Amino acid sequence: MTKKWISRADVIVLAVLLLVGLGLWILPRVLPQGDALVAEVTVGGETVLELDLQTATARKTYTLENGVVLVTENHTVAVLSADCPDKVCVNTGVLSRVGEVAACVPTGTVVTVKGESRAILDGITY
Amino acid sequence: MQKYRKFLYAFVALAVFAGLFGGCAARGASPVQKSTVSMGSVVTVKVYGAENADGELLANTILGAIADLDTKVISKNAQTSELARLNMSEHPETPQKVSPELFVALRETKAIYSQSDGKAALASGALTEIWGMDTESFRVPFSSEIESAKALCTDETVLFTDDGCVAFRNGQTLNLGSVGKGLACDKAVQMLAETGLLPQNGGMLVSVGGSLALVGSPKNGAPFTVGVRNPFGSENEHFATLSMSGGFVSTSGSYEKKFEKDGKTYHHLLDLTTGFPAETDLCAVTVTAKTGLQSDALSTLCFLLGEEKSLPILKEYSAEAIFVYTDRTVHVTGGLSSALQMTDSTFKAEAV
Amino acid sequence: MKQKTYKIALMGLLAATAMVLSYLESMLPTAFLPPGAKPGFSNLANMFAAAVLGLPSALTIAVLKACFAGLMRGGTSFFMSLCGGVASTFVMWFLFNKGKKLGSVGIGVVSAVSHNAGQLAVAAVLVGNASVLGYAPILLLCALIAGTLTGLVFRAVLPALQKATKSFIQTPNRKE
């Protein structure tokens, strides 16, 4: 058992983890977004819904079979409500960037924002 | 154990930094991009894989060269251009010396259009003028105007001598408007070679109002991905993509420049034998060819001639084409089928 | 034999403590916390167990805590708590007994991080989608704070705990 409050090794660990955490946190915010944002909804690993966020302007709700309700508005997506005790998914809030996730573990639902790399053109002829 | 731990932490820290920098570097591989407006179109130069300073210099050099090409050589409107002054000559029947650059452009354009059964010509200026195409003040000309203009739109009276001179009938107007974008693409590639600013594994994409020049690779030897504009959609919508490792692409379409009068829509691709916009089931033709001039001229030619008659001519120039019809059927020549990928299921593609 | 009985009694106490702390934690308003993040004070009991009682006992307490979570908030909570708890218990036991350089803060942080890692792993399995790792950055950052606090609290209450349990067990002395 240790009598130490905090040691030098602790500070190193904290610093390293802090850097890793900040790095991981910044990453989605600086990466190029891609042209076509899509919200992919999976339940139990199977994709059940793909919502085109590019064209999602007016507020629209989608109710899944398992009772999870999603809402898209202004190029963003969020979990509006779900039949789960903790509501972590709902509290995750609004997703707008590539890589952002909202997950409801009890219902097995995951909403991920993806950027379609297919849409990244070098140029267009017209 | 303690010693190893320190190394472990250091390693993790390094890995994180490496990842972050690697990510930033990869983003740094996003191209240097510059645009201006020239020849009445948006001209964009994208330089891949070069140092920022080099890329900027190259892009600026090319944009400047294209602007000069327009104002000094091929523009029909700018009084300062060689072509404009040529058109204004009092005695054009007397062969006049022109710059090698202009000479080659004029002669090649005549050569390509000579296979159009008269529907396209180098000397199309007389007709494009009365339709207001050049100044974008579109109007429907009177039949009398059209008749007299038609007579002037023949290349039979446009002659080239071996020592670089041009002669044509008084009243005719030589017009490079339909190949200008292709010429600009060629110019861009020429400037690239001259400045030598592109590293070996780099790439360049130049877009002149939708005519493209592709050199090298955007990333690690991979080909360029070029979208083919959806004629029925908005500016950024494409119905297919082309995977191309270099070359020239141009598109002629009736959707680009058009105007309405008394309930009728008139597009800008004139059939010189009728004096009116070509009547066709085609709404766009995209051509890939060995030079920008060829791709631009051939796309106009194919649109006016129609698919059947165009195919042998395309073969002659080792060019490939995509024909898009108003009913959304798409015909693709053999050489392009593997490079083409449809991305819009409302269009149906067929190989021809 | 006396020691064994006392040990079991101590385990029972610690398990109960863990459950009470866990219950109190769940009462906290979650609105101000990032999704999935917890203050982590319920880990105090686990920490003490891992430090003093040895691996099997510590693991037992972690399992009991998971069962409690399962009864309170459903099957998924059981698995999440189990995975996270087992992972962090292993890590804590290792650090307490073998890792000489880390202080309480370090152990608290590493245990919090491994707890989250375990939870994310099982969450990914349960939803069949690795994208849940998208929560990793924010959870990691919160684990740093929570772990530090937990570690500090642990170190603070340690002398009192040691004193109280002195009669129960012989605590192996560690070189500082």
Side-chain angles (χ1 to χ4, degrees), chain A residues 1 3 7 10 42 45 92 103, chain C residues 101 103 127 129 135 155 174:
Chain A
M1 203 157 2
K3 288 236 169 76
S7 72
D10 286 5
T42 66
T92 307
Chain C
K101 277 262 174 96
V127 298
N129 190 339
Y135 281 102
R155 176 65 185 79
R174 277 189 50 189

Side-chain angles (χ1 to χ4, degrees), chain A residues 8 13 20 122-126, chain B residues 6 16 46 210 225 227 229 251:
Chain A
R8 208 170 60 143
V13 170
V20 173
D122 297 306
I124 186 165
T125 178
Y126 57 89
Chain B
K6 274 222 170 103
V16 169
K46 283 187 180 181
T225 304
R229 158 104 184 255
T251 302

Side-chain angles (χ1 to χ4, degrees), chain B residues 44 119 126 210 241 285 297 331:
Chain B
T44 304
K119 291 182 191 259
T241 60
V285 180
H331 290 182

Side-chain angles (χ1 to χ4, degrees), chain B residues 122-201:
Chain B
L122 171 59
S124 60
L127 267 174
T128 59
E129 262 167 36
I130 58 173
W131 279 90
M133 302 265 169
D134 309 324
T135 49
E136 305 242 343
S137 43
F138 302 119
R139 60 184 280 272
V140 182
F142 302 114
S143 337
S144 53
E145 286 178 287
I146 295 186
E147 286 309 306
S148 39
K150 259 170 46 178
L152 292 168
C153 290
T154 168
D155 283 347
E156 282 172 26
T157 47
V158 180
L159 302 165
F160 298 93
T161 68
D162 286 333
D163 55 350
C165 296
V166 181
F168 54 96
R169 227 178 92 197
N170 203 344
Q172 286 192 299
T173 306
L174 303 184
N175 182 12
L176 289 174
S178 62
V179 300
K181 298 183 200 161
L183 286 170
C185 287
D186 287 328
K187 188 72 178 176
V189 174
Q190 179 199 333
M191 294 312 296
L192 173 66
E194 277 180 27
T195 58
L197 282 169
L198 201 65
Q200 259 215 335
N201 55 356

Side-chain angles (χ1 to χ4, degrees), chain A residues 1-7 9-10 13-14 17-18 20-22 24-25 42-45 85-86 88-89 91-92 99 101-106 108-110 112, chain C residues 30 35-36 52 73 76-77 80 100-106 109-110 113 123 126-129 131-132 134-135 137 140-141 144 148 152 155-156 158 162 174 176:
Chain A
M1 203 157 2
T2 178
K3 288 236 169 76
K4 276 208 205 107
W5 289 79
I6 182 166
S7 72
D10 286 5
V13 170
L14 262 178
L17 288 176
L18 186 65
V20 173
L22 283 176
L24 289 176
W25 188 79
T42 66
V43 175
D86 291 324
V88 172
C89 47
N91 286 338
T92 307
V101 187
C104 182
V105 186
T109 314
V110 179
T112 321
Chain C
T30 52
V52 167
R73 294 205 307 284
T76 48
S77 298
M80 302 267 279
K100 299 210 178 97
K101 277 262 174 96
L102 281 186
S104 288
V105 167
V109 165
V110 178
V113 172
L126 285 178
V127 298
N129 190 339
S131 296
V132 292
Y135 281 102
L140 174 56
L141 292 173
L144 293 181
T148 305
L152 290 173
R155 176 65 185 79
L158 190 56
Q162 278 180 301
R174 277 189 50 189
E176 254 57 274

Side-chain angles (χ1 to χ4, degrees), chain A residues 27, chain B residues 14-28:
Chain A
L27 211 53
Chain B
L14 271 174
V16 169
F17 276 121
L20 283 175
F21 279 126
C24 290
R27 272 196 318 119

